[in-house]
Amino acid sequence: MNSINRFIARTGSAAAAVLVALASAAPASADAPLRATYQGQAILFTHVASTSGAIAIGVNDPGFQTLLHDTGALLTWKPGERYVLLTTAVPVVVTFALGDGRYDVGQIALQASFAPYQRGDEAFLPFNEVLRALDLALRQDGRAWVLQPQLASLDVRQDSGHITLFAHGGAPLRPRIVQQSPSSITYAFDGVGTTLTGLRQINMGGVRTIEIATSGTVRNPTTTVTVALVAGAVVAPPRNLDDRDVTLAFGAAANSNAAANPNAAANPAVAQEQQQQAPSPESSAGAAAVTGVTIAPAADGATVTIAVNGNAAYEWHRLRAPDNRFWIDIQNAQLQGAPIDQSAVGPVLSVRVRQIDPQTVRVALSLDGQKSLTLAPAANGLQIGVGSQDVADAARSGTGSFGGVLASGAQTAAAVTPAPPGESGDYWNSTAAGGWKFGPRGTYVPANPRLIVIDPGHGGSDPGSMRNGVREADITLDVAKRLRDLLVARGWQVKMTRETDVDVYQPNDEAHEELQARVDVANKNGARLFMSIHVNAFINSGPYGTTTYYSKPEDVAFAQYMEKQLAADGTKDDGIIKSHLYVTLHTLMPAVLVETAFLSNPSDFALLTSPAWRQKIAQEMADGIGQYTQAYPVPNQPPQ
């Protein structure tokens, strides 16, 4: 969008000013072309650059286009759009956003080595992260480079006494049995390497352990999977689901689980583990790697072990009955492998493990009552002891750390607008960012310090985005009315730019006239704050999440308080973005524009069409306004 486009902050028509800012925030120096071999074919990449010590690849690069074609992937992006979507052959949608180091693989949020950026009419993406999404790795063979297919995942699933291993790779998988005995079987996957090397304890379904190793050369790698078996275990032949997916199935003989682990008969919830593996060398620098979660019976309940490589702080919470839930957020951490959603038997009924944002892994336990809990550092992570007896009451939250480096109670910093690649986290607080020195407040003094103007985006001749009969203009008006009612109940005066489905200026008006009319409502009335509410959309279903936009120095603190509240709205927190949007740039008072969620994403669509969720985000917006005005009161005015 340009700065007066009525489709404010639409990802499909991003502001030229925004793109200039994003491009200038990501300087890159041109490198020599990169030649790499993929499946015996030489591919020359010419649109390459070095950014923050990593390789950036241009989306228009002919070699990159060849690689996408050969791997069955599709890239979607046009100049002027913020989001770059990569749909793999699986299919999985990988979403990058220009100017944001966070990216999504399906519903999993990760952190890239640098933020994608636009240079001229071309977007540049972090090459290693793109290759990882394609299940490939760039490996050096002497002075040559090879795009090596990877055994990308080996998921362990248990069902009714059976164990099934689901293998997925970046090339056709043809497992061959290279060794078999009553106590073990070894499969070889030719042509693929892996970072999943290591030993996993299973102890269920006839399987004791799984060990993954690699051999061969960079050009001709082999990955082996050795499964140690319980006596009498049943082994099914490998089965191809398609070229790149294979299942290996095992079943236990009668009473073999008890033989493998004497405690199993007392508690079937024994040794449930997924994806315990060594961290990928391409993991985000400095981040701890959560490699697995194990549930095992104990003398008085169960022990949950979270395997972590690296140092990390954590924060935990528990809910009172009848919820009986406990969760622990491991900060500055990356989940290695797929999310975990595993049933168990009391006192732990289930365990879920997710990457809830690019820096945080959450391990959540559902308990069958108000059980006693203990937390203690383990050799490689953290152990949670869950007692079998109920307790009358207990602490509800706490913090800590493990790894021997962080102090107890350490906390991670709040999310802020990411600095450009190569710049420090204080970039936005320095004169390096175009002279923007953010002080505690601007010079604006509202004529009406108790007035807040709410701007429901679109309306009248401009319905905004539409999906399945749902119009953006209707959702923004509904949320705005809910927010108005909450603010009035708290003693604020509220004026809305529109209270029905109408244009603010006149039907079919020009963008400048419409947007200026909305700005005038706030400026002419001397409002304390301006809040514009929108709903996002994209050409396909990949992007999702809530984004808070600001334009002026005076907006920054307001945006931070708003984003902090909206981070718990139930969709992904897309953070805070500086953008020259017309309504936030031309209002005199602190102003923010919130894109609440994506109509084009099925999960976000379900939220947007839920009255309860719309009430929830209105409540969060009201709380953000309240917290900001408490922290930044108007001089010589009684507190609100």
Side-chain angles (χ1 to χ4, degrees):
M1 69 178 177
N2 57 45
S3 61
I4 58 174
N5 195 317
R6 295 188 65 177
F7 293 85
I8 297 180
R10 192 67 49 242
T11 57
S13 53
V18 178
L19 295 176
V20 170
L22 292 173
S24 63
S29 58
D31 281 349
L34 172 67
R35 185 182 300 273
T37 301
Y38 172 66
Q39 301 289 72
Q41 172 190 1
I43 300 179
L44 180 64
F45 300 96
T46 55
H47 298 204
V48 294
S50 176
T51 304
S52 298
I55 300 173
I57 186 70
V59 297
N60 298 332
D61 184 286
F64 185 41
Q65 295 293 327
T66 298
L67 180 63
L68 294 177
H69 177 271
D70 291 350
T71 57
L74 175 67
L75 188 139
T76 306
W77 182 76
K78 295 179 181 178
E81 295 174 350
R82 181 177 178 229
Y83 286 92
V84 184
L85 299 186
L86 177 65
T87 304
T88 71
V90 173
V92 170
V93 177
V94 184
T95 309
F96 295 94
L98 300 186
D100 192 343
R102 296 167 297 181
Y103 71 105
D104 302 311
V105 179
Q107 298 292 318
I108 302 174
L110 299 171
Q111 186 74 29
S113 52
F114 62 87
Y117 56 92
Q118 183 173 350
R119 188 171 64 187
D121 290 332
E122 187 172 19
F124 281 75
L125 305 177
F127 197 29
N128 279 337
E129 284 77 357
V130 169
L131 293 177
R132 192 179 307 128
L134 298 175
D135 301 322
L136 303 174
L138 186 63
R139 299 283 185 253
Q140 195 163 13
D141 182 23
R143 299 183 63 180
W145 290 95
V146 175
L147 292 172
Q148 186 185 82
Q150 298 290 289
L151 179 65
S153 63
L154 187 68
D155 295 334
V156 182
R157 304 183 191 177
Q158 185 253 345
D159 180 35
S160 302
H162 299 278
I163 286 290
T164 303
L165 309 182
F166 289 82
H168 171 74
L173 298 181
R174 300 287 185 266
R176 56 186 177 88
I177 299 174
V178 295
Q179 178 275 328
Q180 185 170 11
S181 71
S183 60
S184 69
I185 183 170
T186 299
Y187 304 89
F189 294 86
D190 296 319
V192 296
T194 192
T195 60
L196 307 180
T197 55
L199 183 70
R200 310 184 197 180
Q201 299 289 335
I202 303 299
N203 291 324
M204 34 190 331
V207 175
R208 296 180 184 274
T209 63
I210 300 169
E211 186 171 12
I212 305 173
T214 59
S215 60
T217 65
V218 171
R219 295 178 184 270
N220 296 291
T222 296
T223 294
T224 57
V225 177
T226 300
V227 182
L229 304 169
V230 173
V234 178
V235 180
R239 184 166 69 95
N240 279 79
L241 302 179
D242 57 39
D243 272 352
R244 299 185 181 186
D245 294 279
V246 169
T247 62
L248 309 173
F250 307 87
N255 300 322
S256 61
N257 275 349
N261 191 327
N263 293 323
N267 190 336
V270 58
Q272 298 180 6
E273 180 175 322
Q274 287 198 14
Q275 292 295 99
Q276 185 160 343
Q277 61 197 50
S280 166
E282 291 91 359
S283 297
S284 297
V290 178
T291 61
V293 175
T294 301
I295 309 174
D300 182 31
T303 300
V304 178
T305 302
I306 305 172
V308 182
N309 290 334
N311 307 310
Y314 62 82
E315 178 179 313
W316 62 266
H317 300 267
R318 68 180 300 173
L319 300 179
R320 291 184 171 88
D323 288 308
N324 298 323
R325 283 177 290 167
F326 168 87
W327 69 92
I328 181 168
D329 288 342
I330 303 171
Q331 300 157 348
N332 190 32
Q334 297 281 306
L335 177 61
Q336 304 294 297
I340 298 171
D341 194 343
Q342 187 76 50
S343 298
V345 177
V348 180
L349 300 180
S350 66
V351 59
R352 300 184 67 201
V353 185
R354 294 287 187 276
Q355 186 89 38
I356 63 169
D357 65 42
Q359 289 83 32
T360 310
V361 174
R362 174 169 293 177
V363 179
L365 308 179
S366 292
L367 309 177
D368 65 0
Q370 285 286 289
K371 305 303 181 184
S372 62
L373 293 168
T374 59
L375 279 75
N380 293 300
L382 186 70
Q383 279 193 344
I384 306 170
V386 184
S388 59
Q389 301 297 317
D390 287 344
V391 294
D393 200 4
R396 297 293 151 187
S397 63
T399 60
S401 62
F402 47 85
V405 174
L406 302 177
S408 178
Q411 298 292 323
T412 56
V416 297
T417 303
E423 301 292 349
S424 71
D426 291 330
Y427 177 87
W428 294 116
N429 293 322
S430 71
T431 55
W436 280 45
K437 181 66 176 179
F438 295 151
R441 63 171 63 84
T443 58
Y444 172 78
V445 178
N448 191 342
R450 290 187 174 274
L451 175 65
I452 295 175
V453 170
I454 304 173
D455 174 40
H458 305 276
S461 61
D462 175 15
S465 300
M466 293 186 289
R467 291 293 190 280
N468 301 324
V470 178
R471 308 187 328 150
E472 177 180 6
D474 298 331
I475 292 180
T476 60
L477 183 59
D478 179 84
V479 174
K481 288 180 176 179
R482 294 172 186 271
L483 175 58
R484 175 197 61 191
D485 294 345
L486 290 167
L487 293 174
V488 169
R490 298 182 183 187
W492 291 100
Q493 298 173 20
V494 176
K495 191 172 185 63
M496 293 173 55
T497 58
R498 65 180 181 92
E499 297 193 6
T500 58
D501 186 24
V502 296
D503 297 85
V504 177
Y505 187 73
Q506 65 182 25
N508 301 305
D509 51 1
E510 294 294 328
H512 178 275
E513 296 171 330
E514 178 67 18
L515 298 178
Q516 186 60 48
R518 296 170 188 255
V519 168
D520 288 345
V521 173
N523 287 348
K524 291 181 179 179
N525 287 280
R528 173 77 170 86
L529 298 172
F530 177 89
M531 175 94 188
S532 188
I533 301 171
H534 284 255
V535 175
N536 226 328
F538 195 59
I539 57 176
N540 62 28
S541 61
Y544 65 107
T546 299
T547 309
T548 303
Y549 290 88
Y550 70 95
S551 299
K552 312 182 298 293
E554 294 83 3
D555 303 341
V556 175
F558 185 21
Q560 290 173 336
Y561 277 97
M562 189 59 61
E563 185 264 348
K564 181 179 179 180
Q565 290 299 313
L566 290 171
D569 66 4
T571 185
K572 177 168 63 71
D573 175 21
D574 250 344
I576 302 171
I577 300 295
K578 175 191 173 185
S579 178
H580 286 184
L581 304 177
Y582 193 93
V583 293
T584 50
L585 185 63
H586 289 81
T587 42
L588 300 175
M589 67 291 304
V592 297
L593 185 149
V594 173
E595 293 276 8
T596 55
F598 279 76
L599 272 174
S600 49
N601 178 271
S603 298
D604 275 11
F605 182 88
L607 295 175
L608 287 164
T609 53
S610 165
W613 187 80
R614 296 197 297 271
Q615 183 67 29
K616 174 180 171 62
I617 60 169
Q619 181 77 50
E620 290 168 348
M621 290 175 180
D623 291 345
I625 289 171
Q627 291 184 3
Y628 170 76
T629 53
Q630 287 287 332
Y632 295 88
V634 177
N636 304 318
Q637 291 290 327
Q640 180 67 36

